[in-house]
Amino acid sequence: MNVIAPKDKMKPADFASDQEVRWCPGCGDYAILKAVQRTLPDLDTPKENYVFVSGIGCSSRFPYYMSTYGFHTIHGRAPAFATGIKLANPELDVWMVTGDGDGFSIGGNHMLHALRRNADMQILLCNNEIYGLTKGQYSPTSETGLKTPSSPTGSVESPLKPCVFALGSGGHFIARGYDTQKTLPEILKRAHAHKGTSLVEILQNCIVYNDAVFDNVLARDVASDRQLHLVHGEPMIFGKDSDKGIRFNPLTFSLEVVTLGQDGITESDLLVHDETNKSLASLIAEMGGDDFPTAFGVIYCNPAATYDENMTKQVEQAKAYDPEPSLDALLRQGHTWEV
């Protein structure tokens, strides 16, 4: 009897293309690329079903470096391409890679509708808070006051917060990580397991035009006190000595940082992360700056019906209603006239 030999498990190297990677030496995109290539072998997806879609920008060179199907599309329009690909063939595993300029400036409207429609795909947002490919103009996520070639005396705009934007757009899976994070593949696996559109904001260093922009959060000497790693069902504790936490103040209806052991505060006073709670997710997504740690991990996960599933059902219902539709009859129905 013939027996089908089991396939060898894929390795990260199997997803690396033969193309020379042309990012600047030290760019955070290298680490993100490696994290994705480490993630895919652990997913239950045939290699031929992977499709990577991008717009324009440094991170949007991503599809060239993946040994999968891919599309390097036009500026800001990757969400439309990715949605169309998923609808045309729901069996495909669609990943979209974009940057803060591509995804939230020219592509902001497309991003909004991709998030609210909820087609089943993963969106990786490489956020370096700068336009790197076009040599360092400020982007929608740049901090106020940042001096660049397009803001020589400092940007006067308020920065857009991608996770807050995603929640406001109706997104159902929002997470945050950073480029060199060892556990980034675990966040990507959670995003992939979610049925619907998943947005993962990845803080990414641009060593040439915005170097060290995230050092106030990611540098080793401050990381413990500036990062909060979320775990569903567990209290929000952080700090080098694990002695700080996040508490909800009902008088101000806002979050506050407290120290365990001070003023009788115990672990039972702290907020417990509930990734299905959208109100809590909105407060967590806003954290950062000088007063709060920045949250990493899954901020919000609340599955809902997907756009591709609903569209497929609608097409099947239409076929059942009229198995032999006539385009000619459709065009000639109702009011017509001759010119």
Side-chain angles (χ1 to χ4, degrees):
M1 184 177 75
N2 295 329
V3 177
I4 299 175
K7 292 183 178 179
D8 293 334
K9 182 180 178 183
M10 301 290 288
K11 301 179 178 60
D14 295 319
F15 291 95
S17 77
D18 60 357
Q19 298 298 299
E20 178 186 358
V21 182
R22 295 184 176 180
W23 288 315
C24 302
C27 174
D29 282 338
Y30 284 96
I32 298 171
L33 177 65
K34 290 296 183 184
V36 172
Q37 291 172 343
R38 291 202 310 272
T39 300
L40 298 194
D42 292 336
L43 306 182
D44 187 22
T45 300
K47 183 181 177 183
E48 60 271 21
N49 281 8
Y50 286 116
V51 183
F52 280 77
V53 185
S54 68
I56 296 296
C58 294
S59 61
S60 290
R61 295 189 61 79
F62 215 94
Y64 291 116
Y65 307 139
M66 295 296 298
S67 179
T68 63
Y69 291 107
F71 292 88
H72 188 184
T73 69
I74 51 181
H75 211 346
R77 273 58 177 172
F81 282 83
T83 302
I85 291 166
K86 187 65 182 179
L87 291 181
N89 187 347
E91 296 300 316
L92 296 178
D93 195 336
V94 180
W95 296 66
M96 193 192 107
V97 184
T98 185
D100 42 299
D102 180 65
F104 288 101
S105 184
I106 192 171
N109 198 40
H110 286 273
M111 182 70 80
L112 183 156
H113 294 295
L115 290 164
R116 75 172 179 82
R117 283 180 179 133
N118 199 37
D120 189 18
M121 60 183 178
Q122 295 69 239
I123 299 176
L124 308 185
L125 168 68
C126 301
N127 182 11
N128 56 16
E129 297 189 0
I130 203 78
Y131 280 98
L133 187 68
T134 49
K135 303 188 184 307
Q137 299 87 353
Y138 75 97
S139 83
T141 60
S142 296
E143 289 295 326
T144 304
L146 184 68
K147 294 182 179 180
T148 72
S150 57
S151 56
T153 57
S155 168
V156 296
E157 297 184 11
S158 297
L160 181 147
K161 298 181 178 181
C163 291
V164 176
F165 176 96
L167 283 165
S169 300
H172 288 273
F173 184 99
I174 291 99
R176 183 187 289 126
Y178 57 89
D179 48 12
T180 58
Q181 186 176 355
K182 291 182 180 179
T183 56
L184 183 57
E186 299 307 315
I187 297 175
L188 300 181
K189 289 174 189 175
R190 282 291 315 275
H192 182 265
H194 173 78
K195 295 305 176 187
T197 300
S198 305
L199 176 87
V200 182
E201 179 191 14
I202 306 172
L203 307 186
Q204 175 241 326
N205 194 42
C206 174
I207 197 168
V208 175
Y209 297 108
N210 210 14
D211 190 25
V213 63
F214 300 116
D215 269 8
N216 62 334
V217 176
L218 304 181
R220 289 185 179 181
D221 58 336
V222 301
S224 298
D225 290 324
R226 303 303 305 160
Q227 297 181 17
L228 171 65
H229 291 271
L230 301 167
V231 180
H232 178 68
E234 295 190 6
M236 299 181 194
I237 297 176
F238 67 102
K240 184 172 61 178
D241 299 320
S242 299
D243 61 343
K244 298 179 181 177
I246 302 297
R247 185 175 71 172
F248 182 74
N249 186 329
L251 297 178
T252 60
F253 208 74
S254 60
L255 303 182
E256 61 184 10
V257 174
V258 295
T259 301
L260 294 172
Q262 283 188 1
D263 302 324
I265 295 174
T266 67
E267 189 173 310
S268 62
D269 295 310
L270 304 182
L271 275 172
V272 173
H273 183 44
D274 178 359
E275 62 186 25
T276 68
N277 186 327
K278 190 170 184 178
S279 297
L280 179 60
S282 298
L283 295 171
I284 294 172
E286 286 275 8
M287 290 198 313
D290 296 330
D291 299 327
F292 288 94
T294 297
F296 294 97
V298 178
I299 295 173
Y300 183 60
C301 179
N302 193 8
T306 67
Y307 185 68
D308 42 305
E309 288 175 341
N310 287 339
M311 181 65 73
T312 300
K313 288 178 183 176
Q314 194 172 59
V315 170
E316 293 303 319
Q317 289 171 353
K319 288 180 178 177
Y321 177 76
D322 187 355
E324 295 182 358
S326 168
L327 179 61
D328 182 67
L330 176 66
L331 295 176
R332 294 176 185 277
Q333 72 179 6
H335 298 289
T336 61
W337 64 92
E338 293 183 0
V339 178

